[in-house]
Amino acid sequence: MGSLAGIRAMWAIAWTDVRLLLRDRAAAFFTFVFPIIFAIFFGLVFGGDAKKGKIEIAVAQLDQGSLATEFVSSLKQMDGFNVTSVASEADGEKAVREGKASACIIIPGGFEKGLDSIFANGKGPEVPVLVDPSKAADTGLLQGRLMEQSFAMMAKSITQPERMKKQLQQARDMIAKSKDIDLSRKLMFGTLFQNIETFTNDANKPGEDGKPAFSDNALSGFSPMQFEMKDIRKQRIGPTNAYEVSLPQGIVWGLMGCVTAFVSTLARDRQRGTLVRLRSAPVSRWQIVGGKAMAGFVSCMLVQWLLIGIFAMFFGVRVPNPPMLIVATVFSACAFVGVMMFLAVIGRSGEGSAGFGRSVILIMALIGGGTLPVFFMPAFMKPVSMASPFKWSVDAIEGATWRGYDSQQMFLPLAVLAGVAIGGFVLGSMMFRRAMRE
Amino acid sequence: MLRLTNLRKSYGNIVAVDGISLEVRRGEVFGLLGPNGAGKSTTIGMSVGLITPDSGTVEIEGAGAPTTDRVRGHIGIAPQALAIYDDLSGTENLSLFGRLYGLGGRELKDRVHRVLDLVGLLPRSSDRAGGYSGGMKRRLNLAAALIHEPPLLLLDEPTAGVDPQSRNNILDTVRDLAKAGKTIIYTTHYMEEAQKLCDRVGIIDKGKLLCVGTVDELVMAHGGKSIVRIERAEKHERFETDAPVREISRVLAGADAGDPVTGVHIDRPNLESVFLGMTGRSLRD
C-alpha cells in the first residue's frame, strides 16, 4: 500500500475509533463533559472569578508637588479603576509583572514643572505608563481615561490665574534669554504674552451666563501630557483567576477519559474479531497502531482545546501565549497517546485492559495533580508527583497560561512529555507486534 | 488458486497444524471440515497471512505469499467471530473496510450499495449493526469480505447460529459468488451445507488433512456400507450391505407369509458418516 493510501487507511481507522468514542455515551460523557463540570466546580471551590470588578492600576508618584498630588487623587477617583499608590517605579513594574495590576502610571519627578512649562515647550510632561500587553482592553480603557484626566488637569491649571501667569512668565523668560531670537521678535512675543495674560484674566471672569470662558472642547487636538505606554512582560507567579488553576485539572480528567476510552480498543478489536479484519487488510501493523494512536491524539487535542476554548471564552482564563499553549497541548496529547499505547496492549480482554488502564491512570492523575494541584500538595508528595505524566502535562499547560514560562522553563516538562510519548509508543508497538505474532 | 505446502504450526507443545498440503482450484468451492480444535482456523489464519507458519509455504496463484499488502488484497475473509463494529451502521462498517483496501469516493459508495443489496441488508443499511439480528450480523460479516471484490474468499463458519432465512440467503450468496467465478474456502459444521455447496471437501483432524475429494468420492471411499432395516410384524432386521436394493429384493422374495414385511428403510452413507468415520465419535472440546 502506498504512503498516501497508508495514511488514508490510518485515518479511516482513527476516524472510526473517534466515532466509536463519541457514540459510546458513557465514554463521551467522561471524556468531554465531566472534565468541564469538574473544572467549573473546582474553579468555584478555589474562589471563583476574582477578577471581575475594578481594573487594578498602580501609581508611583515621584513628584510630590501639589499638581502631581492633585492628579493622583483625580486618578484615584476614576470610575471602574482601583488605583493604589506604590512607592517607586520598580514597585509599580513588579506589580504589573506579577499580574497584581494591569498598568502602573509613573508620575515622574518634574511633572509639575513640565506642566508649568507647557506653553514654553509646546508639550506637557512625559508620563510613562507600564502596561501588561496581555490586558489590551484594560490598557485601552486606561489610556482614554488618562487623556481625559490630563485635559481636566490642564483646564484646572489654566483656570488658576496665578498658575497661568507663572506659565506665561516662564515662557517670556525663556524667550528673553534666547540668543536665537532677535530683539524685534522678542518684543513681538512680549506683547503677545502680555495680551494672553490679559485675555486669561478676562477669560476666567465668568460671563453673563455665569460659566467660565474655556470649555472642554477648546483644546481639542492638543495633548497636555505625553503618555508613553511601555509594555511590561508579565511575570506570572500566581493565577489571577481560580479557573486558571482548575482548567489544567479539567484537562487532566479529559485526558484520563481519552486514555481509559482508548486503552480497551485494541483488546476489544481482538476480542470481537475486527482486529482479524484489520490485519487481513492490506495495511501494516504500524498503520493499525498508527491509526489507533492518531485517534487518541485527535481526541486528546479535542478535549484539551474544548476546555481551553470554553474557559477562555466564559471564565476569563487568559491565553497569553497561544503558540506555547499549542506546543504544550500537542506534547501532552503525544505523551498520553504513548501511555495509551502501552496500556492498551497489556490486557488481553477489553474489560481487562480498561480496568487495568483505569486503575493506573487514576493513580497517575491523583499523584499528578488531577484533583489537588501539585502546589497544594504536602512536600513529601511533590517528588512523587514527578513520576506522573499528568504532573508534567499540568506544568506545561500552566506554564503556557498563568505561570508565563519562557521557552527555557518549558523545556523540562516538554522533554518529559516527549520521553513518555516515545517510550510508551515504542514499548506499546513492540508488545503489540509480539502479541500479533501469536 | 491457493496452494498450501507442508504447513506446520505449533503453540508450545501443541501441534495445531501438522504438515498440511492442499491445493484449492480456481473457481471451486472447497469445504474444509473438522471437529473443534482440528486446526481449521490456524490453517485459514496461515492462508491469509495472519499467522506465520513454523514451516511450509502458502501461495496465492499468480500473486505469491499472503505476507505482502498487495497479495492480501486478493483475499476476503469472513471470520467465525463477527468482525464488525456494533456502533457503526452497515454502510459505515463497509465504508471503513473498503477504505482499508484503498477504495474511496463514488466507487466505494457503489460497492457498498451493491454488496449490501447482495446480502439483503440494503433496507437496514443506515441502522447500527448492534441492532441487527444474529443472521443480519452474519450477512454483514460476509458483505465485509466482499467489499473489495477479492478472487479468493475464506468463509469461516458463515452460517453459525443463524435463522433458516439468513442461512438460505448466505448459501444463495455463496452459490452466486461461485457462479461468478470466485474461489471459496468454506468451513462449517453443517455437513448438509458442505454436501450441497462444495465441489470438493477436505477433512482435517488433529492438524492433519485426512482426506480430500468430491463428496461422492469421499462417500464412496470412506462412507462405509448402507444400512438396511427390514420391519416385520414380529421381528425387525438390520444389516449393512454394499448393494442395498439387491439385498432388499432378496429379502422380499423369500418373505414368509406368516411374518410379512411391513417396512423397508435404507440409510445410505453420506458426508456425516464419512466425517464421523474419519474423525471418530468421541466428544471434542
Side-chain angles (χ1 to χ4, degrees):
Chain A
M1 185 172 265
S3 58
L4 187 65
I7 290 167
R8 275 196 198 139
M10 274 168 67
W11 177 245
I13 294 169
W15 174 231
T16 299
D17 276 359
V18 172
R19 202 155 40 174
L20 291 173
L21 169 68
L22 294 174
R23 287 184 184 177
D24 181 343
R25 283 185 196 164
F29 174 80
F30 280 104
T31 305
F32 297 106
V33 182
F34 179 73
I36 296 169
I37 297 170
F38 182 92
I40 293 172
F41 174 75
F42 272 85
L44 288 169
V45 168
F46 290 150
D49 191 348
K51 184 184 161 274
K52 294 273 183 232
K54 294 183 173 181
I55 298 168
E56 293 293 331
I57 301 292
V59 59
Q61 187 185 338
L62 308 181
D63 184 327
Q64 299 307 321
S66 61
L67 263 184
T69 306
E70 204 176 325
F71 184 59
V72 168
S73 78
S74 73
L75 292 178
K76 286 182 176 176
Q77 283 161 17
M78 290 190 299
D79 284 342
F81 293 88
N82 186 25
V83 181
T84 43
S85 293
V86 289
S88 64
E89 183 174 345
D91 286 349
E93 188 176 324
K94 192 169 171 247
V96 176
R97 280 193 196 283
E98 292 177 359
K100 289 175 183 164
S102 296
C104 177
I105 304 159
I106 311 294
I107 310 296
F111 172 83
E112 194 163 325
K113 200 176 165 192
L115 210 56
D116 283 344
S117 56
I118 196 162
F119 287 113
N121 295 334
K123 61 178 184 180
E126 284 184 359
V127 178
V129 182
L130 313 179
V131 298
D132 176 354
S134 70
K135 295 179 176 173
D138 292 1
T139 308
L141 199 62
L142 176 67
Q143 218 167 344
R145 297 302 294 275
L146 283 176
M147 291 302 284
E148 199 181 301
Q149 292 301 322
S150 68
F151 275 105
M153 220 38 232
M154 165 85 180
K156 268 186 190 169
S157 164
I158 290 172
T159 51
Q160 290 172 0
E162 288 312 310
R163 186 160 295 283
M164 185 67 178
K165 280 179 196 167
K166 193 178 163 190
Q167 288 174 3
L168 292 171
Q169 188 56 51
Q170 273 185 2
R172 283 154 83 177
D173 290 350
M174 197 192 78
I175 289 166
K177 285 175 191 166
S178 174
K179 289 174 183 169
D180 300 329
I181 304 172
D182 60 38
L183 189 60
S184 62
R185 284 179 190 274
K186 282 180 181 176
L187 284 170
M188 191 180 79
F189 279 124
T191 311
L192 173 67
F193 283 123
Q194 183 59 54
N195 289 339
I196 292 173
E197 197 172 327
T198 308
F199 165 74
T200 307
N201 290 335
D202 293 345
N204 280 305
K205 289 173 187 165
E208 286 176 4
D209 56 358
K211 289 179 183 171
F214 282 113
S215 73
D216 287 347
N217 296 334
L219 297 166
S220 65
F222 173 74
S223 174
M225 290 181 205
Q226 312 304 309
F227 294 107
E228 191 191 350
M229 300 309 213
K230 289 181 183 172
D231 282 358
I232 297 296
R233 185 145 180 238
K234 194 167 179 178
Q235 184 191 60
R236 291 167 186 263
I237 57 163
T240 55
N241 179 328
Y243 295 114
E244 289 184 341
V245 177
S246 66
L247 169 66
Q249 286 184 292
I251 288 176
V252 163
W253 284 86
L255 292 171
M256 223 170 102
C258 284
V259 175
T260 49
F262 279 101
V263 287
S264 56
T265 59
L266 262 180
R268 244 189 278 149
D269 271 331
R270 200 181 319 177
Q271 246 180 345
R272 66 186 159 202
T274 39
L275 189 61
V276 169
R277 203 179 286 292
L278 296 180
R279 288 185 53 222
S280 61
V283 287
S284 67
R285 291 187 188 110
W286 284 107
Q287 283 163 340
I288 296 172
V289 172
K292 301 266 170 205
M294 203 188 270
F297 180 80
V298 168
S299 303
C300 286
M301 287 303 283
L302 204 65
V303 71
Q304 289 184 96
W305 281 96
L306 178 73
L307 278 152
I308 291 166
I310 289 174
F311 278 78
M313 268 196 283
F314 304 113
F315 295 94
V317 169
R318 282 157 300 161
V319 182
N321 193 346
M324 194 73 98
L325 191 55
I326 291 170
V327 171
T329 52
V330 166
F331 274 69
S332 288
C334 288
F336 285 98
V337 166
V339 172
M340 203 184 288
M341 294 309 300
F342 178 67
L343 293 175
V345 289
I346 286 180
R348 282 235 148 224
S349 68
E351 289 73 22
S353 289
F356 179 74
R358 248 194 304 274
S359 311
V360 172
I361 284 292
L362 189 63
I363 292 166
M364 279 184 178
L366 291 177
I367 63 171
T371 46
L372 186 68
V374 173
F375 57 81
F376 285 158
M377 285 182 180
F380 76 92
M381 274 303 292
K382 288 183 182 173
V384 177
S385 73
M386 289 185 186
S388 168
F390 284 111
K391 188 260 174 205
W392 299 103
S393 179
V394 168
D395 207 18
I397 291 162
E398 285 182 349
T401 52
W402 61 268
R403 284 188 194 274
Y405 281 0
D406 58 25
S407 49
Q408 216 172 353
Q409 290 169 305
M410 283 294 271
F411 178 78
L412 182 62
L414 294 183
V416 174
L417 290 173
V420 171
I422 294 165
F425 196 83
V426 168
L427 266 175
S429 302
M430 278 166 60
M431 288 168 75
F432 177 66
R433 213 176 146 80
R434 207 172 58 177
M436 289 304 102
R437 268 196 218 123
E438 295 183 334
Chain B
M1 183 69 196
L2 174 70
R3 185 182 292 122
L4 312 178
T5 310
N6 204 20
L7 277 186
R8 242 168 235 285
K9 181 72 186 177
S10 301
Y11 297 103
N13 294 327
I14 298 164
V15 180
V17 172
D18 190 6
I20 285 182
S21 293
L22 172 71
E23 192 172 340
V24 180
R25 296 166 197 152
R26 182 179 286 275
E28 78 173 340
V29 180
F30 185 89
L32 192 60
L33 312 180
N36 291 335
K40 298 189 298 289
S41 295
T42 306
T43 305
I44 284 194
M46 289 190 285
S47 301
V48 291
L50 290 175
I51 299 170
T52 312
D54 296 338
S55 64
T57 58
V58 178
E59 198 191 340
I60 311 283
E61 188 186 302
T67 45
T68 64
D69 294 350
R70 191 180 56 80
V71 179
R72 283 209 296 275
H74 286 70
I75 308 167
I77 180 168
Q80 188 180 343
L82 289 167
I84 52 172
Y85 291 99
D86 280 351
D87 285 328
L88 299 183
S89 69
T91 303
E92 288 166 342
N93 265 291
L94 296 185
S95 298
L96 163 69
F97 299 129
R99 283 197 184 92
L100 297 181
Y101 285 87
L103 299 173
R106 187 78 240 166
E107 188 189 13
L108 176 62
K109 233 175 170 179
D110 289 347
R111 292 253 189 116
V112 168
H113 187 275
R114 204 159 55 230
V115 171
L116 283 169
D117 192 26
L118 183 72
V119 297
L121 285 176
L122 208 48
R124 298 284 304 273
S125 60
S126 50
D127 293 355
R128 289 197 191 170
Y132 287 3
S133 67
M136 291 165 81
K137 285 183 181 178
R138 279 275 160 216
R139 283 186 271 150
L140 182 61
N141 197 38
L142 173 63
L146 305 175
I147 190 71
H148 57 294
E149 297 183 349
L152 174 62
L153 280 165
L154 295 158
L155 311 181
D156 197 358
E157 301 194 25
T159 58
V162 304
D163 57 88
Q165 284 80 7
S166 280
R167 173 178 293 185
N168 205 43
N169 175 282
I170 291 170
L171 296 180
D172 284 348
T173 306
V174 174
R175 278 192 202 99
D176 290 344
L177 291 167
K179 271 186 209 156
K182 305 278 183 199
T183 305
I184 300 166
I185 298 177
Y186 193 98
T187 79
T188 182
H189 283 132
Y190 301 112
M191 296 300 142
E192 79 184 77
E193 266 180 27
Q195 205 156 349
K196 280 182 193 168
L197 276 178
C198 299
D199 301 312
R200 288 195 307 147
V201 167
I203 296 176
I204 182 173
D205 194 19
K206 293 173 185 164
K208 287 183 187 293
L209 188 64
L210 303 177
C211 58
V212 178
T214 63
V215 174
D216 288 344
E217 284 169 356
L218 293 182
V219 169
M220 190 88 79
H222 307 286
K225 295 176 178 176
S226 294
I227 296 167
V228 175
R229 281 182 292 129
I230 309 288
E231 291 173 6
R232 297 173 198 269
E234 289 182 2
K235 188 185 159 196
H236 296 336
E237 197 180 343
R238 182 180 181 277
F239 56 88
E240 290 183 0
T241 175
D242 287 326
V245 176
R246 196 177 63 208
E247 287 301 314
I248 288 167
S249 303
R250 186 185 56 78
V251 169
L252 290 175
D256 182 354
D259 187 13
V261 173
T262 56
V264 176
H265 299 276
I266 306 170
D267 293 332
R268 289 186 181 278
N270 56 17
L271 195 56
E272 187 166 342
S273 48
V274 173
F275 184 84
L276 290 172
M278 300 293 292
T279 60
R281 289 179 178 269
S282 60
L283 291 173
R284 305 296 176 89
D285 296 317

